[in-house]
């Protein structure tokens, strides 16, 4: 199934940040573009594109500008001496690492060094990530800090992850995440979105829509990794094979949820200073459900109570 991804990143890019982008290309893929862009529009400048040309057996690197023009393509320039021009294979899973250095990007593919690419614009121009063309699955859009101190501090290898979205700094009241996705597969399936704390597996938020029965379980864990009492109230807002937009707002006291423009409910924080320890979120699926995540937008409303955040989840509201 053909898909795409577009989303605004958590914060301004700085030296020491690293992006980890994972997915799977289509069988027989011809082209796949991974862009660190300044906006979502087709005319927005792109400080870094990785254009995978499967038929040419090459990953082209380039930058576009305000006037829509592209610079000089880098094809064989600055390749690692032990790499091949295109280590990606159509129909296979891939993982791309983009480490932001002082003057250039350091790029690795599938765990091996690939190339470097000197900055041609300021890092402040990078505001979003887009993945287009022959992409089947997007499973990982992690934005982490590698220097001066790693954040998140430790990465656990979790099997069966459908999607991962780490962030490079703690959350603050006023932050909103808008997640766009399409569930398909078993109509009795489920998915679980987890926000964990610091270096532990302790879940500060366990958000679990279950399509049969039609409920959303919310919960959290104590320090012994035992769940507290579940919360299950609220009308079920999701449907199989229908796109949804889920907004999660972070206030001074609770998580708040809205789906497709409608307020769903809240879940009070159960740990002290919980926002200082959240790493981002991860999603698992179960009982034969599949979940295609096509967008994750981060924004800060500038007001701690996030009043009016529901509007960002409306299907007709475009987050630019």
């Amino acid at each position: 199934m053909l898909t795409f991804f577009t989303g605004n990143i958590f914060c301004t890019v700085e030296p020491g940040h690293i992006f980890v982008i994972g997915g799977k290309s289509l069988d027989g893929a011809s082209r796949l573009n991974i862009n660190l862009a300044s906006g979502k529009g087709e005319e927005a400048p792109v400080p870094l594109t990785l254009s995978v040309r499967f038929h040419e057996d090459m990953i082209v690197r380039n930058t576009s500008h305000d006037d829509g023009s592209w610079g000089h393509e880098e094809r064989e320039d600055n390749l690692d001496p032990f790499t091949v021009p295109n280590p990606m294979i159509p129909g296979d899973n891939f993982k791309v690492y983009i480490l932001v250095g002082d003057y250039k990007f350091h790029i690795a593919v599938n765990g091996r060094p690939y190339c470097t690419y000197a900055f041609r614009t300021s890092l402040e121009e990078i505001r979003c990530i887009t993945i287009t063309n022959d992409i089947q699955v997007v499973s990982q859009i992690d934005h982490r800090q590698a220097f001066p101190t790693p954040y998140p501090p430790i990465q656990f290898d979790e099997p069966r992850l459908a999607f991962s979205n780490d962030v490079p700094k703690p959350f603050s009241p006023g932050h909103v995440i808008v997640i766009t996705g399409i569930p398909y597969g078993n109509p009795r399936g489920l998915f679980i979105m987890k926000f964990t704390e610091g270096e532990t597996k302790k879940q500060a938020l366990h958000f679990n829509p279950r399509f049969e029965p039609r409920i959303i379980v919310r919960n959290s864990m104590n320090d012994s990794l035992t769940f507290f009492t579940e919360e299950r109230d609220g009308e079920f807002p999701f449907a199989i094979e229908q796109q949804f937009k889920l907004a999660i707002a972070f206030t001074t006291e609770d998580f708040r949820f809205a789906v497709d423009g409608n307020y769903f409910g809240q879940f009070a924080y159960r740990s002290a200073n919980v926002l200082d320890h959240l790493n981002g979120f991860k999603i698992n699926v179960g009982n034969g459900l599949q979940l295609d995540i096509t967008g994750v937008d981060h924004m800060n409303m500038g007001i701690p109570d996030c009043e009016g955040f529901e509007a960002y989840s409306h299907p007709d509201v475009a987050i630019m």
Side-chain angles (χ1 to χ4, degrees):
M1 185 176 72
L2 185 68
T3 188
F4 64 93
F5 180 90
T6 178
N8 292 329
I9 61 177
F10 182 87
C11 63
T12 301
V13 178
E14 302 171 358
H17 284 192
I18 183 169
F19 293 96
V20 186
I21 300 167
K24 183 179 181 180
S25 60
L26 288 173
D27 292 335
S30 174
R31 179 178 292 199
L32 171 66
N33 288 342
I34 299 172
N35 298 323
L36 301 186
S38 63
K40 296 181 179 180
E42 293 184 1
E43 304 302 321
V46 179
L48 172 63
T49 185
L50 300 177
S51 182
V52 186
R53 315 279 178 87
F54 291 100
H55 290 174
E56 299 180 49
D57 195 28
M58 178 65 61
I59 300 178
V60 174
R61 292 84 65 197
N62 208 341
T63 296
S64 73
H65 303 285
D66 290 329
D67 61 2
S69 64
W70 287 90
H72 162 72
E73 290 184 349
E74 294 189 12
R75 291 173 171 249
E76 298 178 359
D77 319 54
N78 303 309
L79 287 183
D80 185 89
F82 300 105
T83 194
V84 294
N86 181 16
M88 294 191 193
I89 299 173
D92 278 7
N93 292 313
F94 65 83
K95 190 169 290 187
V96 174
Y97 302 79
I98 305 172
L99 173 64
V100 183
D102 290 328
Y103 308 104
K104 58 188 174 182
F105 300 104
H106 301 261
I107 300 164
V109 179
N110 297 333
R112 297 181 64 88
Y114 178 72
C115 72
T116 61
Y117 184 83
F119 302 155
R120 299 186 187 178
T121 64
S122 67
L123 295 177
E124 289 77 9
E125 291 191 30
I126 300 173
R127 298 186 182 92
C128 75
I129 294 175
T130 65
I131 305 175
T132 60
N133 295 99
D134 299 331
I135 181 73
Q136 179 178 350
V137 174
V138 177
S139 58
Q140 184 174 13
I141 303 290
D142 286 334
H143 180 185
R144 301 170 181 163
Q145 177 177 279
F147 178 83
T149 54
Y151 196 95
I154 291 180
Q155 294 298 305
F156 293 103
D157 183 16
E158 297 191 42
R160 300 184 299 278
L161 271 183
F163 191 79
S164 174
N165 187 242
D166 290 341
V167 297
K169 296 180 180 180
F171 289 91
S172 59
H175 195 92
V176 176
I177 304 176
V178 179
I179 300 150
T180 305
I182 303 174
Y184 59 101
N186 186 0
R188 295 180 175 84
L190 59 87
F191 69 89
I192 302 169
M193 179 179 299
K194 302 179 293 184
F195 287 81
T196 57
E197 294 187 32
E199 302 175 18
T200 73
K201 294 184 179 180
K202 178 182 177 182
Q203 296 181 36
L205 173 62
H206 178 98
F207 185 86
N208 176 204
R210 303 176 184 177
F211 287 80
E212 183 62 41
R214 294 168 58 80
I215 59 172
I216 299 180
V217 173
R218 287 88 70 199
N219 211 335
S220 63
M221 291 178 172
N222 59 28
D223 291 337
S224 300
L225 305 185
T226 301
F227 280 108
F228 290 107
T229 302
E230 294 180 347
E231 297 181 11
R232 295 183 168 215
D233 58 302
E235 184 175 349
F236 193 79
F238 301 104
I240 293 292
E241 297 184 356
Q242 291 188 22
Q243 179 176 284
F244 66 81
K245 288 177 69 176
L246 166 65
I248 303 177
F250 301 79
T251 75
T252 55
E253 299 178 349
D254 52 27
F255 302 97
R256 297 182 185 177
F257 313 101
V259 180
D260 295 336
N262 299 311
Y263 180 79
F264 173 76
Q266 57 84 35
F267 182 80
Y269 303 144
R270 294 177 174 177
S271 300
N273 303 315
V274 66
L275 295 188
D276 294 338
H277 307 291
L278 298 185
N279 298 333
F281 70 87
K282 301 185 185 300
I283 298 176
N284 296 94
V285 293
N287 294 347
L289 187 81
Q290 297 182 63
L291 185 62
D292 187 5
I293 300 297
T294 61
V296 177
D297 287 300
H298 289 272
M299 68 193 77
N300 197 302
M301 296 183 64
I303 48 176
D305 64 359
C306 297
E307 182 179 1
F309 81 98
E310 301 91 339
Y312 293 110
S313 72
H314 194 282
D316 296 333
V317 172
I319 302 172
M320 302 306 290

